[in-house]
Amino acid sequence: MSRPRPGRDDSPDRLYTLTGGRSRAGSDAFDLVTLVVAESDPVPGMQSEHASILRMCRFPTAVVEVAAGLGLPVSITRILLADLHDTGRISARHPRASYRLPDHDILEQVLVGLRNL
Amino acid sequence: MDSVTSEQRQTLHSTADNGLKIVVVGGFGVGKTTLVRSVSEIRPLNTEETMTQAGEGVDDTGGVAAKTATTVAFDFGRISLDAHNVLYLFGAPGQERFWFLWDRLFSGTLGAVVLVDTRRLADSWYAIDRLEHHGTPFVVACNDFGGPVHTAGQIREALDLADEVPLVFCDARSRESSKQVLITLVEHLQSVVAQDPTPQPIPEPAP
Ligand SMILES: Nc1nc2c(ncn2[C@@H]2O[C@H](COP(=O)(O)OP(=O)(O)OP(=O)(O)O)[C@@H](O)[C@H]2O)c(=O)[nH]1
Ligand SMILES: [Mg+2]
């Protein structure tokens, strides 16, 4: 509650610079809960946001968690993730697609998990 | 004070591979963040999604239509269910002016909890409308703010709730009570799935 909302103080110019002004279709593949895993370590000279993502994702980390950790809007985060994905520096574990309703097995697993809380 | 501290874990299991979503939606100050915090293994985090909408019409110069950007802040928590499944809970504002973003933000969600304060039932009308329209299964949870006591029947009537939609009373500050709300939702989802006779189309492969 006390933390300022992320992205608030970022001028559009700064956000533009981060992404080189691109908006890209490939970034739509990243759902809010796609789990991202780093496949390599940061290297010197890398854009600092890219390096931060690689450090954050040594263990699986959801796109929203990456966005919150970077303090950047999800839309910008998706573009940065797509860059890293294109160069093989991260892998993405997408949510298992369900068309309209979740399947019975998944619901059973969720229920068991919740009851064990 | 913070009963979940001992169970907090900062990182997921390396085997985690399936993110799941549940949305908690409701009016201002109805206890969305409190409920998320009660069951989350991490302190709720917040972030925002920016939506860019093409403006209506194209300007005279034939250039790109004006775009308007709208920003919606939301918070979220996390529950590791088992070695593979991780449930993310999103607290989202339910006001009409944010709602056009809902489809985009929460597509693929398992279901929703509509949190209501019985002193301000009308605040949840819009959220319920949209969920029904969108076909997202939901439960209604009345958060106890110590207001005048209403019966479930009175609340159902005021919200014009369909009979099959579960209505529960909760205290969002309680982990046990909040957990029970989520269990009620998942049990409801099971009955919805069991009743749905339409075969599941093969989902499109992820791009
Ligand atoms: N008495 C009582 N107070 C509660 C309960 N749940 C939440 N509160 C209090 O209500 C206030 C608002 O709760 P929040 O969880 O911040 O509500 P919210 O829906 O996230 O609010 P916004 O995000 O600002 O719309 C806080 O001071 C909570 O401590 C409850 O079950 N009973
Ligand atoms: Mg809140």
Side-chain angles (χ1 to χ4, degrees):
Chain A
M1 288 275 105
S2 53
R3 284 179 63 209
R5 281 206 230 151
R8 288 275 115 177
D9 305 326
D10 294 322
S11 68
D13 284 353
R14 173 163 179 267
L15 297 181
Y16 185 92
T17 308
L18 283 179
T19 60
R22 291 159 301 139
S23 63
R24 42 178 295 172
S27 64
D28 280 349
F30 291 91
D31 190 272
L32 290 177
V33 300
T34 291
L35 297 170
V36 176
V37 185
E39 297 294 342
S40 66
D41 289 323
V43 293
M46 197 175 230
Q47 186 176 340
S48 71
E49 289 76 15
H50 285 156
S52 302
I53 291 171
L54 294 181
R55 277 191 295 270
M56 238 181 272
C57 298
R58 295 209 164 109
F59 288 90
T61 306
V63 170
V64 270
E65 294 175 285
V66 175
L70 292 174
L72 289 171
V74 175
S75 49
I76 303 287
T77 302
R78 283 192 171 111
I79 293 170
L80 296 168
L81 288 170
D83 291 341
L84 291 168
H85 193 254
D86 285 353
T87 52
R89 294 187 179 278
I90 58 167
S91 58
R93 302 175 182 176
H94 297 293
R96 277 165 217 153
S98 71
Y99 169 66
R100 206 165 69 78
L101 290 169
D103 74 59
H104 181 81
D105 291 348
I106 285 286
L107 291 176
E108 197 57 42
Q109 289 164 22
V110 174
L111 208 49
V112 169
L114 287 174
R115 289 198 172 118
N116 286 338
L117 272 190
Chain B
M1 197 198 114
D2 194 349
S3 63
V4 302
T5 305
S6 61
E7 295 172 47
Q8 286 190 343
R9 51 174 298 132
Q10 293 310 314
T11 58
L12 294 178
H13 295 284
S14 54
T15 50
D17 63 3
N18 192 35
L20 298 157
K21 290 179 271 194
I22 287 177
V23 180
V24 180
V25 70
F28 282 124
V30 77
K32 302 180 293 289
T33 303
T34 303
L35 187 144
V36 170
R37 182 184 297 118
S38 291
V39 289
S40 176
E41 66 196 12
I42 54 169
R43 190 173 52 85
L45 297 171
N46 54 78
T47 185
E48 63 186 26
E49 180 73 290
T50 307
M51 302 287 157
T52 311
Q53 285 196 312
E56 298 287 302
V58 177
D59 62 33
D60 290 341
T61 61
V64 183
K67 287 185 172 182
T68 53
T70 307
T71 296
V72 178
F74 57 98
D75 48 21
F76 63 93
R78 189 182 79 195
I79 301 172
S80 296
L81 294 168
D82 54 43
H84 294 282
N85 296 302
V86 192
L87 177 62
Y88 287 86
L89 297 170
F90 293 95
Q95 288 74 27
E96 187 160 1
R97 65 200 161 92
F98 299 127
W99 207 259
F100 72 95
L101 302 168
W102 194 87
D103 290 356
R104 167 80 186 271
L105 262 182
F106 299 116
S107 67
T109 187
L110 292 175
V113 173
V114 178
L115 203 51
V116 304
D117 175 347
T118 53
R119 300 167 303 178
R120 300 180 288 143
L121 284 171
D123 285 5
S124 50
W125 287 346
Y126 193 75
I128 290 173
D129 253 17
R130 288 306 303 171
L131 289 166
E132 285 174 346
H133 180 257
H134 191 256
T136 300
F138 64 96
V139 299
V140 173
C142 301
N143 200 9
D144 178 15
F145 282 92
V149 180
H150 300 276
T151 65
Q154 288 169 328
I155 295 168
R156 280 185 174 284
E157 193 174 327
L159 296 178
D160 194 17
L161 271 196
D163 289 345
E164 62 271 16
V165 176
L167 174 79
V168 294
F169 293 86
C170 73
D171 182 335
R173 297 164 300 180
S174 153
R175 177 174 170 83
E176 198 49 45
S177 177
S178 300
K179 172 181 151 181
Q180 207 51 53
V181 171
L182 297 178
I183 289 175
T184 303
L185 173 64
V186 179
E187 286 173 343
H188 176 55
L189 293 169
Q190 286 186 319
S191 69
V192 171
V193 169
Q195 279 160 24
D196 190 343
T198 54
Q200 302 281 303
I202 310 288
E204 308 245 323

